Amino acid sequence: MSHFILHCDLDCFFAAVEERDNPIYIGKPIVIGADPKEGKGRGVVSTCNYEARKFGLHSAMPISRAYKRCPHGIYLHPNFEKYHKASKEVMEIVNSYSDMFQQVSIDEAYLDISDKCINYKEVRDLAEKLKDEVQKKIGITISIGCASTKSIAKIASDCNKPNGITVVEPEKIKFFLKDLDITTIPGIGKKSKLYYNKKGINTIGDIINTPLHKMIQLFGKNGKWAWEIAMGFDDREVKEFDGDRKSISKERTFYEDTDDFKVILTKLEELNNKIHKKVIKNKIFYRTVTLKIRLEGFLTYTRSKSFAHHIQDKNKVLRVIVDLLNQFSIMNKKVRLVGIKLSNIEKAPSAMQTTLINYLAV
Ligand code: TTP
Ligand code: MG
């Protein structure tokens, strides 16, 4: 059976929700993020609309730099409640097109529609219908990539943004990929790009023309992954929780760096609650808890603690997090990001046995 996979990604998501709710913003540069304080603000841009992108603005750019480039923009504080509601509504629609659904972030999801379509014409029609339904019911646009693998679908969804559908049939994968910059491969960022470029690899076509053993010799594991993606090899399935996953984590950047312990702890509690919703839904047990902290200036630290046995206990995790946070000397620096990771994970039922053994051993 052919595989038909969609990758759906909302267009400038937070900004799109703001435009939807305030039509007077349409056509003007909208920037969501920290308060720019006329160029003196700290923190970063969460996202911006296409008008703002024309001035070179993008996600994660310091808000002070954004303000210098675009002082006449409309700067808005993020309204997460609103974005989460919109995300949930969109994801419900996406999920209604297939049960094989995997949400991977607030604004992107994969959908396996292999049993719903028999050819790429039908795949395109389904994607069109889905896109129209989201636009009509939620009032924001979505871009969709359609292909036989997750990685090609993801790369494709970015090719016709905003509000576009890109279908890449299996026999056209190499043609589609060959001129794209290597950073379109998820996992090759700005830093790796420099390294790849030094070795003469600029486009995905250059990877296609390099034998696998050479890619491994030059770039190790990352090279092998990049080569497989370039060749269109990717057998990862669309599933809500990948059983092969080694960890589950969540992190957040503060809109303004903070040294307020209460604010930091509240954010960690929020992250812990979110992780545990997933943990419970997917019957995950874990042994190790890691706290991640990034200070202003981008120094990042992690501290971990492991339990003797697998557990699934939100309160225990929070206690560990508080302990780890207390051990942490932040040297009068402000905190930019916090994260929690649960690792050494196991899925029920074998994990259930472990806890049963623990229970009996008590
Ligand atoms: P993205 O899908 O990366 O960006 P986007 O939807 O704004 O724009 P595009 O049209 O290119 O897809 O991220 C989704 C949302 O996540 C984004 O609207 C805001 C938030 N976000 C941040 O808060 N910080 C970040 O650094 C990034 C990349 C995203
Ligand atoms: Mg998006």
Side-chain angles (χ1 to χ4, degrees), residues 188-254:
I188 302 190
K190 277 186 198 153
K191 272 192 196 157
S192 334
K193 175 185 163 69
L194 295 176
Y195 191 66
Y196 274 77
N197 290 165
K198 250 192 222 158
K199 305 282 178 191
I201 307 267
N202 299 297
T203 63
I204 300 186
D206 296 332
I207 299 179
I208 296 172
N209 293 326
T210 307
L212 174 60
H213 72 266
K214 184 109 191 276
M215 286 296 293
I216 295 175
Q217 187 193 334
L218 290 173
F219 312 110
K221 250 192 195 167
N222 190 271
K224 180 169 182 274
W225 159 257
W227 186 85
E228 284 171 353
I229 300 301
M231 300 303 284
F233 302 158
D234 177 10
D235 57 8
R236 290 174 304 146
E237 285 174 26
V238 175
K239 46 186 167 183
E240 196 184 20
F241 186 83
D242 183 350
D244 296 335
R245 252 166 77 164
K246 303 271 190 296
S247 65
I248 176 165
S249 58
K250 276 208 176 292
E251 56 185 49
R252 277 291 172 280
T253 307
F254 290 105

Side-chain angles (χ1 to χ4, degrees), residues 9-12 107 161:
D9 190 315
L10 297 170
D11 302 318
C12 42
D107 86 327
K161 262 185 172 293

Side-chain angles (χ1 to χ4, degrees), residues 111-126:
L111 205 59
D112 187 327
I113 50 165
S114 305
D115 60 350
K116 309 267 184 284
C117 302
I118 53 168
N119 56 36
Y120 277 92
K121 157 98 181 51
E122 288 189 6
V123 170
R124 184 182 280 278
D125 289 347
L126 187 147

Side-chain angles (χ1 to χ4, degrees), residues 107-144:
D107 86 327
E108 51 176 334
Y110 291 101
L111 205 59
D112 187 327
I113 50 165
S114 305
D115 60 350
K116 309 267 184 284
C117 302
I118 53 168
N119 56 36
Y120 277 92
K121 157 98 181 51
E122 288 189 6
V123 170
R124 184 182 280 278
D125 289 347
L126 187 147
E128 201 78 60
K129 205 166 149 230
L130 165 55
K131 191 165 75 62
D132 289 349
E133 188 176 340
V134 169
Q135 188 159 14
K136 215 183 266 158
K137 291 192 175 154
I138 318 297
I140 55 181
T141 63
I142 187 168
S143 292
I144 305 180

Side-chain angles (χ1 to χ4, degrees), residues 74-103:
I74 297 171
Y75 288 81
L76 303 170
H77 245 279
N79 181 340
F80 290 110
E81 215 174 298
K82 204 156 76 167
Y83 310 146
H84 276 291
K85 183 167 177 284
S87 165
K88 201 162 163 254
E89 290 165 352
V90 170
M91 293 305 166
E92 264 165 29
I93 294 176
V94 177
N95 198 175
S96 74
Y97 280 73
S98 167
D99 287 336
M100 293 178 75
F101 163 82
Q102 181 181 6
Q103 186 176 349

